[in-house]
Amino acid sequence: MSKHQHQPASLLERLIFNNRPAVILLCLLISLFLFYQAAQVRPQTSFEKMIPLGHPYIQKMLEHRNDLANLGNTVRISVEAVEGDIFSKEYMETLRQIHDEVFYIPGVDRSGLKSLWSPSVRWTEVTEEGFAGGEVIPQTYDGSGESLEELRSNILKSGQIGRLVANNFKSSIVDVPLLESYPDPEDQSRLVRLDYQQFSHELEEKIREKFQAQNPDVKVHIIGFAKKVGDLIDGLIGVALFFAVAIGITFVLLLWFTHCVKSTLAVVVTTLVAVIWQLGLLHTLGFGLDPYSMLVPFLVFAIGISHGVQKINGIAMASGEATDALSAARMAFRQLFIPGLVALLSDAVGFVTLLLIDIGVIRELAIGASMGVAVIILTNLILLPVLISYVGIGQRAVKKSREEAAKDHPLWRLISNFAHPMVAPISVVIALGAFGGGIWYGQNLKIGDLDQGAPELHPDSRYNLDNDFVIRNYSTSSDVLVVMAKTATERCSTYPAMAAMDELMWQMENTEGVQSAISMVTVSRQVIKGMNEGNLKWETLSRNQDVLNNSIARAEGLYNADCSVAPVLVFLNDHKAETLERVVKVAEAFAKENSSDNLQFVLAAGNAGIEAATNEVIAASETTMLVAVYAAVSFMCLLTFRSIAATLCVILPLVLTSVLGNALMAYMDIGVKVATLPVIALGVGIGVDYGIYIYSRLEAYLRQGMSLQEAYYETLKSTGKAVLFTGVCLAIGVATWIFSAIKFQADMGLMLTFMFLWNMLGAVWLLPALARFLINPEKLRAKALAVAPA
């Protein structure tokens, strides 16, 4: 420490510590402004933020959004008759009231709302006189026994069994298409964005709770993207509880570590200031909190505590030699500012690499995390030592620090053996074995979802139970892949186009994982059969154009207004990664072989199409992002230490952690998806801090002429305790997420806990072993002598 005591103060140090009141006043003013901004942050998300807008599938889907009625962002409300079936006066009245109530909820696309009570839901039959048809629920319906029997007959003739009506007739569906933006009810000239949380609450209060209380014989099930996101936001509001728990745990551990209430409060307060600044900047720049970026304040707090601990540890050690609190703070600032700055810039650069992924929520997470790291530079590297220069370190903490510096530490002596010439090769061999095992088992890692329903939620969540009910009782699942057949205007009903669609449906229905497929061809074949006395031999496509034109008249919603786009709807068993990959591969192969100037098959829409596009983006981005984050962090280390060997000592333990992390995800059946992909960058970005702090101290002692093992022992005495404490403290903080009601947050908590601990262990265990092979102490000593003043 005496070396730093005699170093001349840098311009930045003089600027900060010669103007301490101005620094505190400036931080106070910024805090007041950003606290006001942070108080206005609200949970928000949108459908488009959670999908890769640059992917060809998504671009085609958005291009033909108006041509794909009810195939975008929809909610399905299944109304179940607990006793009996749907053919009762009470049930049908409840269904009518639900239909009417949903109609007036803001954000609903009323023109596309569909249930048995919709006039557009019709039945058709063939009679001796030709086709007959009408509304499934006719104007004469009065709830009598005769009306209910007529309703049963109409449903059987409507083709809605398995779609709007359950296969067992015990429930029916209200299909609710949504608008991303809609006219403000109070000011029709202004558009407002759909608030998923509010919409979800309205569904719960106005539909589920109201009608289940009103009619105990009815049970309501609700699924769809908007409902899922609403449930996620509700669950993530519980993050505040975990945040409070993390603060409490951190405070207790910090108090045990520092033995000083003043310095503990200073670290916690400055770190909370960083969190408030980050949230305030988020709102100032026009962002909100979505289900993924809600985790960023946790990370900012964890990183802030990490660097705060290093600062307090450095100040406590400096207090043993300094005459007052100001001198100790300046000495610690001189020693730790550069390593801390490099570590934080490495964090920020690592997070910025997430911008390579073309998904809005991940990009906003990257921006939020990068801003959080930037403010920590001001709060924990600058404001914290300034505050400590006033309040000082408690005498008990200073005394303990002096005793720690003077006495021998058996634990640190034991751990320093990792740098021993006999132990280091064993460590490297173990690391190579773990690396090979991780690579081998990590091959089982999948891209995308591995479970049915909403994997972001626990299997026993209400949403997933509702989704399971719909899957079990309806032929058309909630997972739909839409392939669009594009022709010239008024040409989608030609025989070549419809024959190709028929062939596509046949191929898809014979692909594993597909439930069924429908298109305008489905209706056309049924109508042609009906036009020929219901003879099954006529259930085929006619080559007569007039017959085809007549046959598609009843195929509403299965082609657009000018008959230039006709969707083929493929209903899947689930949206697991392997199912989507298999089905999309078949569809793409068919599209490639059968597309021509007159007819093109374009992928893809529907939620399964969106999932497939997302999986492709993640698969393409994963390696790129990983290479980018390691390249960025390596560049920062190389810039700091001016040594390839030193960079390898810091980076290689991180690589081992990443490989083992992939193996753990494969073992835990956690797929690489929007929720888990950021963990890779976050784990590397935050984990590099340990190596930078340890190596910077190790190199300083090596330059003084110590042997590697002795230098490592001194490093452990000075900063080892802080590194171990930080790793454990960060791990405990994020481990609270494991108990979250939101499964993806629990998965992220598990993965980050593992990565924080393994990165810490890698820095303590593997870094000195690598230094034994890569670092030449004599060379460092020679360099130090060459630049030393005469």
Side-chain angles (χ1 to χ4, degrees):
M1 187 63 70
S2 57
K3 172 178 174 287
H4 293 279
Q5 188 175 7
H6 298 296
Q7 279 183 350
S10 65
L11 175 62
L12 179 63
E13 181 186 331
R14 294 197 302 273
L15 185 66
I16 292 169
F17 287 95
N18 292 349
N19 300 281
R20 290 182 296 161
V23 170
I24 291 177
L25 179 61
L26 179 62
C27 289
L28 181 62
L29 293 174
I30 294 173
S31 298
L32 290 174
F33 171 74
L34 292 180
F35 183 82
Y36 171 75
Q37 294 291 328
Q40 300 178 64
V41 172
R42 296 289 182 271
Q44 67 175 41
T45 189
S46 73
F47 180 64
E48 293 183 354
K49 276 186 184 179
M50 305 188 69
I51 59 178
L53 295 177
H55 193 281
Y57 289 2
I58 306 302
Q59 290 178 341
K60 291 297 182 184
M61 182 191 77
L62 295 177
E63 179 185 339
H64 297 289
R65 174 181 287 179
N66 295 329
D67 299 323
L68 302 171
N70 301 345
L71 296 178
N73 190 2
T74 63
V75 164
R76 302 173 81 192
I77 302 173
S78 177
V79 185
E80 177 191 4
V82 178
E83 299 291 338
D85 54 30
I86 66 173
F87 302 110
S88 71
K89 181 179 180 180
E90 294 75 17
Y91 174 89
M92 293 306 299
E93 177 59 21
T94 300
L95 181 67
R96 184 190 65 78
Q97 291 177 13
I98 289 175
H99 177 102
D100 292 347
E101 190 75 46
V102 170
F103 185 86
Y104 290 104
I105 295 178
V108 171
D109 183 359
R110 296 168 182 172
S111 63
L113 183 64
K114 185 179 289 187
S115 76
L116 291 177
W117 283 96
S118 301
S120 60
V121 178
R122 304 176 65 82
W123 61 271
T124 306
E125 71 174 342
V126 181
T127 68
E128 294 175 353
E129 298 175 354
F131 280 100
E135 298 173 7
V136 167
I137 302 182
Q139 298 294 324
T140 57
Y141 174 84
D142 58 8
S144 63
E146 292 78 8
S147 289
L148 291 171
E149 281 303 315
E150 183 183 4
L151 172 62
R152 183 190 295 271
S153 175
N154 290 348
I155 288 175
L156 290 170
K157 294 180 287 189
S158 69
Q160 293 296 338
I161 298 172
R163 297 173 65 185
L164 283 183
V165 179
N167 294 319
N168 59 4
F169 297 101
K170 289 180 68 66
S171 64
S172 68
I173 278 180
V174 181
D175 220 351
V176 189
L178 304 179
L179 300 168
E180 276 295 306
S181 300
Y182 58 91
D184 188 341
E186 298 179 0
D187 181 3
Q188 293 290 316
S189 63
R190 187 172 71 93
L191 290 177
V192 294
R193 294 191 67 84
L194 180 64
D195 184 329
Y196 287 92
Q197 185 185 22
Q198 181 182 342
F199 183 78
S200 176
H201 288 176
E202 293 207 50
L203 289 178
E204 290 295 333
E205 295 164 10
K206 294 183 177 179
I207 306 300
R208 196 194 304 262
E209 294 175 7
K210 176 181 176 181
F211 288 100
Q212 286 186 166
Q214 179 179 304
N215 185 352
D217 292 330
V218 158
K219 190 173 182 181
V220 176
H221 309 270
I222 308 173
I223 62 171
F225 175 82
K227 187 68 183 74
K228 179 179 74 174
V229 172
D231 287 355
L232 281 175
I233 293 174
D234 284 341
L236 288 170
I237 288 176
V239 164
L241 174 61
F242 293 118
F243 196 61
V245 170
I247 292 172
I249 293 172
T250 302
F251 183 85
V252 171
L253 291 175
L254 267 174
L255 194 58
W256 171 81
F257 177 80
T258 62
H259 304 283
C260 173
V261 175
K262 292 187 293 184
S263 57
T264 296
L265 283 172
V267 171
V268 172
V269 168
T270 52
T271 304
L272 288 176
V273 166
V275 173
I276 291 170
W277 284 18
Q278 185 264 333
L279 291 173
L281 285 170
L282 207 62
H283 184 265
T284 303
L285 295 176
F287 297 108
L289 284 177
D290 58 56
Y292 301 93
S293 63
M294 274 186 172
L295 305 177
V296 171
F298 266 101
L299 297 172
V300 173
F301 183 76
I303 297 169
I305 291 294
S306 168
H307 291 274
V309 166
Q310 292 289 346
K311 282 291 183 186
I312 292 300
N313 185 58
I315 293 172
M317 293 176 62
S319 298
E321 300 179 27
T323 55
D324 54 29
L326 176 58
S327 300
R330 295 187 71 151
M331 289 168 65
F333 179 87
R334 206 170 303 163
Q335 176 195 9
L336 296 173
F337 181 76
I338 294 300
L341 179 64
V342 172
L344 285 170
L345 289 176
S346 298
D347 294 347
V349 170
F351 298 155
V352 166
T353 60
L354 288 171
L355 293 173
L356 294 171
I357 302 168
D358 181 28
I359 298 175
V361 288
I362 294 183
R363 287 183 167 176
E364 289 193 12
L365 185 148
I367 293 168
S370 301
M371 287 193 301
V373 169
V375 300
I376 289 172
I377 294 174
L378 299 175
T379 58
N380 290 63
L381 298 190
I382 295 176
L383 178 59
L384 177 59
V386 169
L387 288 178
I388 295 296
S389 72
Y390 281 112
V391 301
I393 300 283
Q395 288 303 310
R396 182 185 171 200
V398 173
K399 181 181 177 183
K400 189 157 186 68
S401 179
R402 286 174 179 169
E403 291 173 353
E404 292 282 330
K407 73 177 185 180
D408 191 66
H409 291 265
L411 176 62
W412 299 140
R413 282 287 178 198
L414 181 65
I415 295 177
S416 69
N417 284 315
F418 287 134
H420 191 277
M422 300 293 290
V423 178
I426 298 173
S427 295
V428 172
V429 169
I430 292 173
L432 286 173
F435 180 82
I439 290 287
W440 174 75
Y441 198 84
Q443 294 176 346
N444 299 317
L445 185 64
K446 304 290 186 183
I447 302 293
D449 293 330
L450 306 182
D451 302 298
Q452 286 186 336
E456 299 91 344
L457 302 167
H458 287 290
D460 60 351
S461 66
R462 182 160 59 184
Y463 181 91
N464 277 331
L465 294 177
D466 285 350
N467 188 75
D468 181 63
F469 174 84
V470 172
I471 290 173
R472 285 187 290 106
N473 289 279
Y474 294 83
S475 300
T476 53
S477 74
S478 57
D479 296 313
V480 187
L481 175 72
V482 180
V483 182
M484 293 162 278
K486 292 180 62 179
T487 66
T489 303
E490 303 295 344
R491 303 296 295 170
C492 74
S493 62
T494 60
Y495 177 79
M498 295 183 69
M501 282 188 269
D502 194 21
E503 175 66 19
L504 172 61
M505 289 170 57
W506 184 87
Q507 285 201 22
M508 299 312 298
E509 287 174 334
N510 285 277
T511 301
E512 184 184 352
V514 174
Q515 273 188 351
S516 60
I518 64 171
S519 72
M520 61 191 294
V521 174
T522 310
V523 178
S524 175
R525 292 172 63 171
Q526 291 293 323
V527 170
I528 291 172
K529 179 184 73 173
M531 291 167 63
N532 291 275
E533 301 178 344
N535 192 322
L536 291 174
K537 292 181 179 180
W538 287 94
E539 191 177 356
T540 186
L541 293 174
S542 172
R543 294 178 182 269
N544 185 309
Q545 191 59 51
D546 291 332
V547 173
L548 286 178
N549 290 342
N550 186 43
S551 70
I552 66 167
R554 295 170 179 80
E556 292 182 15
L558 294 176
Y559 59 94
N560 67 344
D562 62 3
C563 196
S564 61
V565 176
V568 177
L569 282 63
V570 184
F571 296 95
L572 311 181
N573 292 331
D574 52 61
H575 55 255
K576 293 180 182 179
E578 57 266 29
T579 302
L580 292 177
E581 186 178 355
R582 183 168 52 248
V583 172
V584 166
K585 185 177 180 181
V586 173
E588 284 187 333
F590 181 89
K592 186 176 181 180
E593 291 176 8
N594 293 274
S595 292
S596 63
D597 294 339
N598 298 322
L599 172 65
Q600 290 182 326
F601 286 96
V602 179
L603 276 70
N607 71 306
I610 293 168
E611 291 276 354
T614 304
N615 289 352
E616 287 189 9
V617 167
I618 289 174
S621 303
E622 182 191 15
T623 303
T624 305
M625 185 210 69
L626 202 56
V627 170
V629 70
Y630 274 111
V633 172
S634 298
F635 175 76
M636 294 302 301
C637 291
L638 197 58
L639 197 64
T640 305
F641 299 119
R642 308 297 176 92
S643 165
I644 294 176
T647 301
L648 289 173
C649 287
V650 174
I651 297 300
L652 289 180
L654 300 179
V655 174
L656 177 60
T657 304
S658 292
V659 169
L660 293 177
N662 284 348
L664 178 65
M665 289 175 67
Y667 177 76
M668 299 292 294
D669 286 330
I670 299 173
V672 181
K673 48 192 175 183
V674 174
T676 54
L677 185 60
V679 172
I680 300 170
L682 298 175
V684 174
I686 298 173
V688 74
D689 296 1
Y690 307 118
I692 288 174
Y693 275 117
I694 285 181
Y695 187 81
S696 62
R697 297 299 301 140
L698 178 66
E699 186 179 69
Y701 287 120
L702 288 173
R703 288 178 183 274
Q704 294 175 26
M706 295 183 184
S707 67
L708 178 61
Q709 188 169 346
E710 190 61 28
Y712 189 52
Y713 170 69
E714 292 298 328
T715 298
L716 290 171
K717 278 181 65 177
S718 61
T719 196
K721 183 180 177 182
V723 167
L724 288 174
F725 172 81
T726 300
V728 173
C729 193
L730 290 180
I732 290 175
V734 296
T736 58
W737 301 359
I738 295 172
F739 304 101
S740 171
I742 306 302
K743 187 175 184 296
F744 89 80
Q745 186 184 12
D747 290 343
M748 289 183 79
L750 176 66
M751 291 304 303
L752 284 174
T753 299
F754 171 81
M755 297 191 83
F756 286 164
L757 287 175
W758 259 104
N759 280 330
M760 180 266 289
L761 290 173
V764 172
W765 158 61
L766 191 55
L767 188 152
L770 293 170
R772 171 61 63 183
F773 293 95
L774 299 174
I775 303 298
N776 187 338
E778 296 301 326
K779 195 173 180 180
L780 287 176
R781 172 66 174 161
K783 283 185 179 179
L785 291 173
V787 298

